[in-house]
Amino acid sequence: MTEPTETPPALSLHDYLPYRLAVTSNQVSRVVAHAYQARFGLTVWEWRVIALLGEKEPMTAQALSDIAAMDKVSVSRAVKALVGRGLVVRAERAADRRSRDLRLTDTGRTLYRDITPVALGAEADVLDGLDAAEVASLVRLLETVRGRAEELLGTAPD
């Protein structure tokens, strides 16, 4: 005869924070992507690479992966596509010949300038209905959760 086992704690996936964050992130990304994909022909991953390089360049593919918490395969595919379209160039690094610096081309910088207002407009649409204090609170809370996750993973900056 088997012993009765304890009932595991109930889990409602809909109420589970990691699930809710993932679903929300995916939905928001889809809204923003919808705003620029047809017009500019970029995937979400390609846009993220362009946006990060538009903020700070040069950067290696590894740095892009680390900063955006994107998997290396997605970054590699995005970079390859962007290089193929003449939007990004790779240059050998003097300090480490195994990795390459990535930079936007002039065409890539123009695209970055053109797409940024579209992406910001889509973000504003998503946040419509929240006042400035609520947006600030949302940003602060997300940063707190992200920071705690980094601590738990041992990836938090010192």
Side-chain angles (χ1 to χ4, degrees):
M1 185 164 192
T2 60
E3 294 290 320
T5 59
E6 282 187 40
T7 304
L11 172 68
S12 168
L13 195 57
H14 180 74
D15 295 328
Y16 186 56
L17 179 65
Y19 175 79
R20 292 177 79 163
L21 288 171
V23 169
T24 301
S25 173
N26 290 339
Q27 291 293 86
V28 170
S29 289
R30 287 176 61 199
V31 167
V32 175
H34 183 74
Y36 63 72
Q37 278 180 328
R39 183 171 168 192
F40 298 100
L42 296 173
T43 67
V44 171
W45 304 111
E46 291 165 357
W47 160 239
R48 287 180 186 173
V49 168
I50 287 174
L52 288 167
L53 291 175
E55 289 179 34
K56 179 184 177 205
E57 55 183 356
M59 231 185 273
T60 64
Q62 182 63 53
L64 289 167
S65 293
D66 293 345
I67 291 167
M70 292 173 18
D71 67 87
K72 293 175 187 177
V73 172
S74 296
V75 170
S76 177
R77 285 183 185 146
V79 167
K80 184 177 180 179
L82 294 170
V83 168
R85 289 180 59 184
L87 300 172
V88 170
V89 293
R90 293 182 181 119
E92 191 172 273
R93 304 182 88 204
D96 181 0
R97 294 184 166 207
R98 294 171 297 163
S99 64
R100 306 278 184 257
D101 278 331
L102 302 170
R103 296 178 190 275
L104 294 175
T105 62
D106 290 341
T107 305
R109 277 188 211 88
T110 299
L111 180 65
Y112 173 70
R113 284 191 298 273
D114 291 346
I115 199 172
T116 297
V118 174
L120 290 172
E123 177 193 45
D125 289 344
V126 168
L127 296 173
D128 188 38
L130 299 178
D131 64 32
E134 290 170 322
V135 171
S137 180
L138 175 62
V139 169
R140 182 182 50 76
L141 291 168
L142 288 171
E143 283 300 306
T144 300
V145 171
R146 185 194 52 76
R148 179 62 181 141
E150 285 181 346
E151 287 175 17
L152 293 169
L153 291 170
T155 58
D158 295 329

